[in-house]
Amino acid sequence: MKLNYKEISTLGALKKAGYQTKSIKDELRENLRERIKNGQESFEGVWGYENSVIPELERAILSRHNINLLGLRGQAKTRLARLMVNLLDEYIPIVEGSEINDDPLAPMSRYAIELIKEKGDKTPIAWLPRENRFFEKLATPDVTVADLIGDVDPIKAANLKLSYADDRVIHFGMIPRANRCIFVINELPDLQARIQVSLFNILEEGDIQIRGFKLRLPLDLQFVFTANPEDYTNRGSIVTPLKDRIGSQILTHYPENIEIARKITEQESILDERQKDAVYIPDIAKDLLEQISFEARDSEYVDAKSGVSARTSITAFENLLSTAERRALLSGADKTTIRLSDFVGVIPAITGKIELVYEGEQEGADGVASILIDDAVKTLFDSYFPKINKLQRKDEETPYDNLLHWFFQGEGFELEDDYTDEEYKRTLDSIPELNQLIKEYQPEFPKEDVYFLKEVLLWGLVAHNKLSKHRFSEGYQFKDLYGSFISGL
């Protein structure tokens, strides 16, 4: 029912308008039903969950369940919870001045009951917008029952000259204040077991206990919990009776392919418009950036239980553009294109996002980040050029022989980080065999992206142990593998 909230300011007017009390779970359910019937998206801007997480979440809402979203970090758990706000009514009426958003037709607090008793149909009504109906608490070890449920307030007792035996001295915590709202507790296993126990009655019986006061407050909340599977072993667990009271547990996951990962990264990246205008990003560069996270999730150096957050790709993408932007600013250029050598700038975004196992610690965070970039290049290389077999006969010819021979005869070449675009292109164009391989195997490749592809070819040969690559302070040096070995001796 649509109500003109601007014209309704008293309890009498609300009754006259035909308003009917509705629980938040029914509210979510009814609005979701309408969206599904009308073919509207219920969780816009969440990619990759269309056939997995979102249908399960919709089923949980239709079932009026409290929900636990279980998944590794960076899997949009909190985002899903926040998007549930869009399924609420635009406004709901509350008793004006109520601390716990009392429903005017079903008041719970002593304040609201006494006010309605005193003023009747003239009781003032306020309207609560849906954006103010979302409460979120990160479960940390220092969270107390007083924070969540409430406590006796001695200052209130003194000001009102009340005895501690009077329930009006109670100061309500976050959960009662979130009555008729969505309440999210992030990282639930981090909440101490005794604090989790305090949630039992709220979820099931609807009463709360504060310092000996037992108040019958049938709170109306939609609980959403989030948890990381790693937390069950490392830091804590969800106590069994609480788990039993949570209606649906939904497993989240990482993007299943690069196309979905790219959508997420492009949507979530915070970019300056000047960066977008000044820096051109080849499609292959975007694929490579996402492939790094896919490699990290399968890497022997990275702790799989900890996961690799989608934020890894997002911050790496921002760093990548900033690396190219900085180079353009230094050279005085208005525009530039992403180069593979710019990926050295994404290493700081990777190192802080991945948890390493023992072998990874031995390599060092920077070393592992470089390995992941090389592995991503190797994977991409096989999609564009003939595959290089690990085992080859000594006299077997390969498509790369002429290019490798060019490096064998020469001193190799260098690609410096601060080359202008003209110097960068001229350096790559100076290798005829490199140009020939591109023409032969990728003749239709977009002209503006072809220089990035040339770098992929060189880095791919390094990843397959056909060339050597050396990072020095100004850039990268590519050499013949054996010549580099002999000069090293």
Side-chain angles (χ1 to χ4, degrees), residues 31-287:
N31 291 332
L32 177 58
R33 277 173 52 86
E34 286 303 309
R35 285 207 177 203
I36 293 173
K37 281 198 287 187
N38 296 332
Q40 294 175 275
E41 284 186 53
S42 48
F43 294 90
E44 291 182 30
V46 178
W47 304 103
Y49 285 171
E50 296 84 356
N51 300 313
S52 54
V53 175
I54 289 175
E56 290 190 359
L57 194 50
E58 288 176 341
R59 287 193 283 269
I61 293 169
L62 291 172
S63 299
R64 303 182 186 87
H65 285 172
N66 291 313
I67 298 163
N68 182 27
L69 295 170
L70 181 64
L72 296 172
R73 55 187 174 164
Q75 290 185 349
K77 299 187 294 294
T78 305
R79 171 177 281 261
L80 287 169
R82 287 177 179 163
L83 286 172
M84 282 177 68
V85 170
N86 297 328
L87 296 175
L88 296 171
D89 291 342
E90 190 176 0
Y91 287 90
I92 58 166
I94 62 171
V95 175
E96 191 172 67
S98 167
E99 290 182 275
I100 61 171
N101 303 324
D102 276 289
D103 184 335
L105 300 185
M108 289 188 298
S109 68
R110 180 190 278 216
Y111 165 82
I113 291 168
E114 290 186 351
L115 185 65
I116 291 172
K117 189 176 179 181
E118 177 191 340
K119 298 196 173 182
D121 284 352
K122 293 183 179 178
T123 303
I125 300 299
W127 291 86
L128 187 66
R130 64 180 162 210
E131 57 268 22
N132 290 350
R133 296 175 66 194
F134 181 86
F135 286 73
E136 186 176 7
K137 181 64 179 170
L138 177 64
T140 53
D142 60 334
V143 173
T144 64
V145 174
D147 294 332
L148 294 178
I149 312 298
D151 205 350
V152 169
D153 185 350
I155 296 173
K156 188 185 282 188
N159 287 342
L160 298 175
K161 297 180 180 177
L162 295 171
S163 159
Y164 279 10
D166 193 309
D167 62 8
R168 284 174 292 179
V169 302
I170 291 173
H171 172 80
F172 291 113
M174 286 186 72
I175 290 177
R177 288 173 181 274
N179 183 39
R180 304 172 74 200
C181 300
I182 296 170
F183 193 89
V184 178
I185 298 182
N186 283 312
E187 309 302 340
L188 181 60
D190 283 354
L191 204 61
Q192 292 182 45
R194 63 184 179 84
I195 312 298
Q196 292 185 37
V197 169
S198 68
L199 300 176
F200 290 178
N201 281 16
I202 294 174
L203 264 67
E204 199 71 26
E205 287 81 18
D207 59 68
I208 61 173
Q209 293 188 31
I210 300 171
R211 300 281 184 182
F213 291 105
K214 185 173 180 179
L215 299 179
R216 181 65 186 166
L217 288 179
L219 295 172
D220 181 24
L221 291 121
Q222 171 66 55
F223 276 102
V224 181
F225 304 101
T226 73
N228 187 321
E230 186 196 24
D231 294 340
Y232 284 94
T233 53
N234 280 11
R235 296 199 289 270
S237 63
I238 303 175
V239 297
T240 305
L242 179 58
K243 204 186 296 184
D244 185 54
R245 285 167 165 81
I246 299 171
S248 291
Q249 179 167 280
I250 298 169
L251 301 178
T252 57
H253 56 82
Y254 286 123
E256 293 172 351
N257 56 56
I258 283 179
E259 289 72 25
I260 293 170
R262 274 181 56 170
K263 280 184 180 180
I264 295 168
T265 299
E266 288 173 19
Q267 175 179 282
E268 299 302 317
S269 300
I270 301 171
L271 304 175
D272 188 316
E273 285 301 320
R274 290 169 293 183
Q275 277 181 322
K276 292 180 183 177
D277 294 338
V279 182
Y280 171 74
I281 315 157
D283 264 1
I284 187 174
K286 294 177 183 178
D287 288 347

Side-chain angles (χ1 to χ4, degrees), residues 297-471:
R297 289 173 192 138
D298 292 329
S299 173
E300 61 182 336
Y301 299 117
V302 178
D303 185 0
K305 290 186 296 182
S306 177
V308 178
S309 167
R311 286 181 283 269
T312 305
S313 295
I314 295 164
T315 53
F317 185 68
E318 293 164 351
N319 261 17
L320 184 62
L321 263 74
S322 298
T323 303
E325 180 188 31
R326 180 179 179 275
R327 185 184 67 248
L329 290 170
L330 288 171
S331 65
D334 293 328
K335 292 185 181 295
T336 191
T337 300
I338 291 290
R339 307 170 186 175
L340 208 160
S341 46
D342 289 334
F343 274 70
V344 70
V346 310
I347 290 176
I350 299 170
T351 54
K353 301 283 191 305
I354 55 175
E355 296 290 330
L356 303 179
V357 295
Y358 177 76
E359 291 80 359
E361 297 288 355
Q362 300 306 301
E363 290 285 341
D366 282 9
V368 170
S370 297
I371 290 169
L372 294 176
I373 295 171
D374 289 341
D375 288 346
V377 171
K378 190 175 182 179
T379 301
L380 222 61
F381 177 92
D382 292 341
S383 303
Y384 291 93
F385 300 105
K387 194 170 182 181
I388 298 175
N389 297 319
K390 282 187 179 180
L391 298 174
Q392 290 178 329
R393 293 194 306 272
K394 194 173 182 181
D395 57 344
E396 185 181 349
E397 291 186 0
T398 73
Y400 309 105
D401 289 347
N402 290 338
L403 178 58
L404 298 176
H405 187 65
W406 184 90
F407 277 95
F408 182 76
Q409 285 188 317
E411 290 295 317
F413 84 115
E414 294 176 355
L415 270 179
E416 294 188 14
D417 294 341
D418 60 357
Y419 273 169
T420 63
D421 282 3
E422 291 73 23
E423 290 171 324
Y424 166 74
K425 291 176 180 177
R426 189 165 60 246
T427 304
L428 287 170
D429 285 339
S430 69
I431 310 174
E433 289 77 7
L434 186 62
N435 301 329
Q436 185 58 39
L437 278 168
I438 299 292
K439 281 181 186 174
E440 188 172 346
Y441 293 104
Q442 292 295 331
E444 304 299 323
F445 205 74
K447 188 179 178 183
E448 60 272 21
D449 297 1
V450 95
Y451 289 96
F452 193 95
L453 187 63
K454 288 183 180 182
E455 280 197 272
V456 168
L457 178 49
L458 292 174
W459 282 56
L461 290 172
V462 172
H464 283 94
N465 297 318
K466 298 297 182 183
L467 292 176
S468 72
K469 171 170 60 71
H470 170 65
R471 173 72 192 171

Side-chain angles (χ1 to χ4, degrees), residues 1 3-19 93 104-105 120-125 127:
M1 177 188 291
L3 296 176
N4 190 340
Y5 63 91
K6 291 181 181 177
E7 294 179 0
I8 299 173
S9 57
T10 64
L11 177 56
L14 188 67
K15 288 177 181 175
K16 191 175 179 181
Y19 173 76
L105 300 185
D121 284 352
K122 293 183 179 178
T123 303
I125 300 299
W127 291 86

